[in-house]
Amino acid sequence: MTVVKVLESRYRQNFMKLLLIFTVAVALLFFIFNAETLKSSGLYTKLLRFTGDPLDDVDPESEAYFVNTVGCKMPISPIFDTHIRRFIADPTVIHCSTGITASDGKYIWIRLNATELQALYNVTDPTLLSCYYQAFARKSDMWIKFQHEVTPIVFGERHRVAPGEEFVKVTCDNFGLGEIYQDFHYFVPDRMPPGDVVPAASRRKVNVVVIGIDSVSRLNFRRQLKKTTRVLLEELGAIEMEGYNKVGDNTYPNLVPVLSGLEASELESICMPDKNSTYDSCHFIWRDYSRRGYLTAFAEDIGYLGLFNYFKKGFRNQPTDYYTRPLITAMERQIAYKKVGNVYLCYGSKTPFEILFDYIHKFVQSLQERRFFGFFWTSSFTHDYLNMPKLIDGKIVSFLRQLNHEALLNDTVLILMSDHGLRWGSFRSTYQGMMEERQPFMYTIFPKWFHVDFPRAMRHFRRNTRRLSSHFDLHEMLRDLARLEQLDDDVIDARAADLAAADPLPRGISPFLPIPATRTCDAAGILPHWCTCHEKQTVPTIDQGVLRVARFVLRELNDRVATVPQCARLHLNTILEATRATLSADATSKVPTTGQMFDLTVRLRTKPGMGEFEATVRVKTEEDMELTGPISRTNLYGRQSACVDDPQLKLYCYCGRH
């Protein structure tokens, strides 16, 4: 080959390299300068998904947004500032009486010594104390049945409860003076058939424990449960979902998606044909685990506010292997006291919260040679007040550290979550209170081996912490944890490819898969009224457009109560606040002109009763409006709606029509 040919060959190679670089540069410049055009086309969405979201988070560590993606911009709110501090106060500590008896996983005994018995219960001689227990079981969701036999508890001795006994009632008499003490105890008998032991070291199944705390927003969790937050993040390596958004108003429409993957209305249309139906025919997530050989549990600490029992028919048959409703309803009826707000905060010698968390510990500890799934829910200290979660901070820390110290988390995924933030009160009446009400919390603790065995799934999970997520996604996560083979790298890659090609996106997406940056509230099954993927611009309440929307909401309220003669007709007292959702930083603080569709959220007060309500209305024209979700009640109605039993009408009805 001549020198000339060699030079020509090298020239062609260099020319092709320069041409390729030039082509890529031009394409990149075209993409940048035409991004807005592409965003409005399906090509942009497909490109983002196909390439693994190269334009993923615009600013993943933004100090302005919890979520900062193409489909969702969730503004960051402060945990503390001067505006918030005026709502923060130290709650009154709750002290319950000192119990005579105590129990662990297998035994029951008299815990007080002779001096304590005399000081607290006027028992001058322990031999004069007569204590005994009687086992009981579930008869229905409302009633229990006692066994005939009673078993004495002798001072100074530990008594092992009989195999199979789950709940017992303790009664103590002081000889000659009558009954002086009642309490209840609980155990976790093994319900697995013999021979079905699962080796604790087996890594193809993992225990799952979900603990829910009612009405605590993500920021109020950090605000009130500071010690718990530190332990979760610094000691236990928990992963926090920062873009978690609620999907419904109160507890029920938010937990039904977690447990079933369906909206409440969808669930009821499938398995509850009439108003007298129970939930026995409904498919809940614990059935998935039961079919795979898991023992299952469902427990709450407040019986009358039960998820499936508050103005509902509950279950005809026990829904899970372990079900504490018989225990809690018996304690509520017989030994509950110290009522604060809507709940009693002492059941005998313990708070409802302490009873539930003690039960969870016994449940996890007693079943270490089994595989188990448990869904546990506490409302007692958090349902009604902003600051009361502070009272359980130290108790949660002790609980978590105990589980960790006893190695009870080695084969267990522990999820802490809430349904929504606080739904009423003075803080809820603020703009930030409104946003926090829509932003529950979710933390997940994984065993260390989980990160090693499922690296691809865990990489997606960590990335999704700054994605828009919801209760529908938690359901998909629970389904995956029941089938760990779904988390192997090759399976995850195949599922991720299917997700990238999906059009439309599924409503629920497992956090173990890459949630697209293009995901919007609409795609995630979150109504505009609940969506926090946008900033809200305050609009003057004297604006004529705001007044039209407020009158529209008032008509909707009156239409709902019109069928009930006892409910008074409502009138507008005042418009408290109006905000318009926007993704634009230069949005004006006025209602848009005629012909431009927009969403307006109004909060108003009605009379009689001074009820406060909030609704988001989609305004198409001055005459064409529609609600984008339910009308929320943002203050307590107390006894104002005692004349109706329907839980929805109770939100709106003021009893007093003459």
Side-chain angles (χ1 to χ4, degrees):
M1 181 179 290
T2 66
V3 174
V4 172
K5 288 184 177 179
V6 171
L7 292 173
E8 287 178 349
S9 176
R10 290 179 177 175
Y11 174 79
R12 282 196 298 270
Q13 291 176 2
N14 290 335
F15 176 77
M16 292 303 294
K17 289 180 181 177
L18 288 171
L19 182 61
L20 178 61
I21 292 170
F22 177 77
T23 302
V24 170
V26 170
L28 182 60
L29 288 171
F30 174 83
F31 188 84
I32 292 172
F33 287 109
N34 291 275
E36 291 303 318
T37 302
L38 285 168
K39 284 180 184 179
S40 63
S41 71
L43 174 63
Y44 181 77
T45 299
K46 294 293 185 184
L47 181 62
L48 281 179
R49 296 190 198 170
F50 178 76
T51 57
D53 292 1
L55 299 183
D56 217 52
D57 287 325
V58 178
D59 183 7
E61 298 302 323
S62 169
E63 294 183 359
Y65 299 97
F66 293 131
V67 176
N68 187 18
T69 62
V70 174
C72 175
K73 295 189 182 297
M74 190 178 290
I76 281 180
S77 301
I79 298 175
F80 279 107
D81 63 12
T82 53
H83 171 70
I84 293 171
R85 289 186 187 278
R86 64 191 177 96
F87 297 101
I88 305 303
D90 289 329
T92 302
V93 177
I94 302 299
H95 295 287
C96 300
S97 62
T98 303
I100 291 179
T101 54
S103 64
D104 57 17
K106 297 178 180 179
Y107 294 88
I108 188 169
W109 64 93
I110 295 173
R111 62 182 292 267
L112 300 183
N113 59 35
T115 303
E116 291 168 331
L117 284 171
Q118 183 171 6
L120 297 172
Y121 288 93
N122 197 29
V123 177
T124 56
D125 185 346
T127 62
L128 300 177
L129 182 68
S130 173
C131 294
Y132 55 90
Y133 70 84
Q134 188 175 15
F136 64 93
R138 178 184 185 272
K139 185 177 181 180
S140 70
D141 263 7
M142 298 305 296
W143 303 104
I144 61 175
K145 53 185 177 183
F146 280 94
Q147 293 182 2
H148 295 296
E149 299 83 5
V150 296
T151 303
I153 307 171
V154 179
F155 180 77
E157 298 181 11
R158 289 166 59 90
H159 298 266
R160 181 161 185 161
V161 296
E165 290 184 339
E166 187 173 12
F167 308 128
V168 301
K169 179 182 179 181
V170 172
T171 304
C172 292
D173 299 324
N174 188 359
F175 183 76
L177 298 177
E179 182 179 290
I180 61 170
Y181 176 74
Q182 286 186 2
D183 210 343
F184 290 78
H185 293 274
Y186 36 89
F187 305 90
V188 184
D190 192 348
R191 301 197 187 284
M192 186 72 81
D196 285 356
V197 175
V198 178
S202 171
R203 291 187 177 176
R204 298 314 296 178
K205 285 187 177 180
V206 66
N207 304 317
V208 179
V209 174
V210 183
I211 302 176
I213 305 178
D214 203 317
S215 302
V216 178
S217 71
R218 177 174 169 263
L219 292 186
N220 205 40
F221 187 97
R222 285 176 166 260
R223 194 178 291 129
Q224 306 289 349
L225 303 172
K226 297 177 183 177
K227 298 175 184 176
T228 301
T229 302
R230 283 196 295 270
V231 169
L232 284 170
L233 298 177
E234 298 173 14
E235 295 184 23
L236 300 177
I239 301 175
E240 179 185 17
M241 304 305 285
E242 298 186 42
Y244 206 52
N245 201 116
K246 78 171 191 172
V247 298
D249 188 15
N250 53 22
T251 302
Y252 181 73
N254 283 295
L255 291 194
V256 166
V258 174
L259 296 174
S260 71
L262 301 171
E263 291 181 353
S265 59
E266 294 170 341
L267 178 82
E268 293 170 1
S269 68
I270 292 171
C271 58
M272 303 183 70
D274 58 62
K275 64 180 182 179
N276 293 317
S277 297
T278 62
Y279 289 88
D280 294 77
S281 299
C282 301
H283 184 94
F284 294 114
I285 190 65
W286 46 67
R287 288 193 182 183
D288 292 12
Y289 285 87
S290 183
R291 288 171 180 172
R292 296 180 72 86
Y294 283 68
L295 291 169
T296 59
F298 174 45
E300 302 170 278
D301 68 348
I302 301 295
Y304 89 94
L305 289 177
L307 178 62
F308 300 107
N309 300 91
Y310 185 66
F311 291 102
K312 301 175 182 67
K313 300 298 182 180
F315 295 93
R316 184 179 299 107
N317 300 308
Q318 182 165 311
T320 51
D321 296 303
Y322 301 92
Y323 185 53
T324 62
R325 182 166 177 80
L327 171 74
I328 296 302
T329 53
M331 297 179 88
E332 280 181 338
R333 289 170 179 166
Q334 298 185 43
I335 60 170
Y337 60 101
K338 282 198 178 178
K339 190 173 185 179
V340 179
N342 289 311
V343 300
Y344 290 98
L345 291 182
C346 285
Y347 292 171
S349 59
K350 294 181 178 179
T351 66
F353 173 87
E354 290 171 325
I355 291 167
L356 179 68
F357 273 62
D358 185 42
Y359 181 85
I360 298 170
H361 177 255
K362 287 183 178 180
F363 174 78
V364 174
Q365 186 181 55
S366 300
L367 300 178
Q368 279 303 289
E369 294 186 348
R370 311 299 187 187
R371 281 291 172 254
F372 53 82
F373 169 85
F375 189 86
F376 305 96
W377 194 257
T378 175
S379 305
S380 54
F381 275 81
T382 60
H383 188 267
D384 294 335
Y385 300 100
L386 182 73
N387 294 299
M388 283 192 68
K390 187 181 298 183
L391 296 177
I392 59 176
D393 191 17
K395 299 180 189 300
I396 298 177
V397 166
S398 298
F399 167 80
L400 292 172
R401 284 177 170 162
Q402 184 178 24
L403 291 184
N404 193 44
H405 176 73
E406 296 175 3
L408 298 179
L409 297 176
N410 288 357
D411 286 287
T412 299
V413 172
L414 177 62
I415 301 167
L416 275 76
M417 52 88 65
S418 61
D419 45 359
H420 50 71
L422 195 65
R423 293 174 52 235
W424 42 60
S426 56
F427 179 69
R428 171 60 182 82
S429 298
T430 67
Y431 172 78
Q432 180 160 337
M434 180 267 292
M435 293 291 281
E436 286 194 28
E437 185 245 11
R438 289 154 166 78
Q439 297 171 334
F441 72 85
M442 177 179 159
Y443 292 86
T444 308
I445 303 169
F446 293 96
K448 292 181 180 178
W449 59 262
F450 205 93
H451 299 264
V452 176
D453 285 14
F454 307 110
R456 199 71 54 87
M458 289 308 301
R459 187 170 74 226
H460 293 320
F461 196 97
R462 285 188 291 269
R463 186 191 203 187
N464 288 333
T465 60
R466 294 182 74 96
R467 287 285 194 271
L468 172 64
S469 57
S470 80
H471 298 308
F472 290 111
D473 303 332
L474 177 52
H475 176 78
E476 297 303 319
M477 175 183 170
L478 295 176
R479 292 186 66 211
D480 280 348
L481 291 174
R483 308 166 299 165
L484 291 187
E485 63 273 13
Q486 291 293 305
L487 300 184
D488 290 329
D489 281 2
D490 56 343
V491 179
I492 285 292
D493 287 345
R495 294 173 64 194
D498 290 340
L499 180 62
D503 190 13
L505 285 172
R507 179 171 60 184
I509 300 174
S510 171
F512 295 119
L513 296 175
I515 296 176
T518 54
R519 191 188 206 191
T520 63
C521 280
D522 183 61
I526 302 168
L527 294 172
H529 184 55
W530 307 128
C531 181
T532 59
C533 279
H534 43 64
E535 304 204 46
K536 289 183 179 287
Q537 187 75 23
T538 300
V539 180
T541 56
I542 59 173
D543 188 289
Q544 287 301 305
V546 172
L547 183 58
R548 284 192 293 271
V549 169
R551 287 171 176 165
F552 170 79
V553 174
L554 188 67
R555 286 196 299 272
E556 289 287 327
L557 284 170
N558 280 316
D559 285 347
R560 297 181 186 198
V561 300
T563 57
V564 184
Q566 304 96 306
C567 298
R569 182 173 180 80
L570 300 176
H571 301 275
L572 183 62
N573 178 266
T574 187
I575 301 172
L576 299 169
E577 186 179 33
T579 56
R580 183 167 67 90
T582 177
L583 284 172
S584 173
D586 59 354
T588 65
S589 59
K590 296 180 181 179
V591 170
T593 57
T594 303
Q596 184 179 354
M597 187 172 69
F598 62 96
D599 288 350
L600 192 73
T601 300
V602 295
R603 189 165 57 86
L604 52 88
R605 182 181 294 129
T606 62
K607 57 184 180 182
M610 296 297 139
E612 294 181 9
F613 303 95
E614 183 179 85
T616 300
V617 177
R618 179 153 295 162
V619 181
K620 301 174 183 178
T621 68
E622 291 185 5
E623 291 76 30
D624 188 2
M625 306 181 194
E626 63 181 13
L627 292 169
T628 67
I631 301 176
S632 304
R633 176 82 183 232
T634 63
N635 67 337
L636 294 171
Y637 51 80
R639 298 288 300 169
Q640 290 183 355
S641 57
C643 61
V644 295
D645 293 327
D646 183 281
Q648 286 302 310
L649 283 179
K650 274 187 169 295
L651 297 174
Y652 312 128
C653 178
Y654 180 83
C655 300
R657 172 169 285 183
H658 299 291

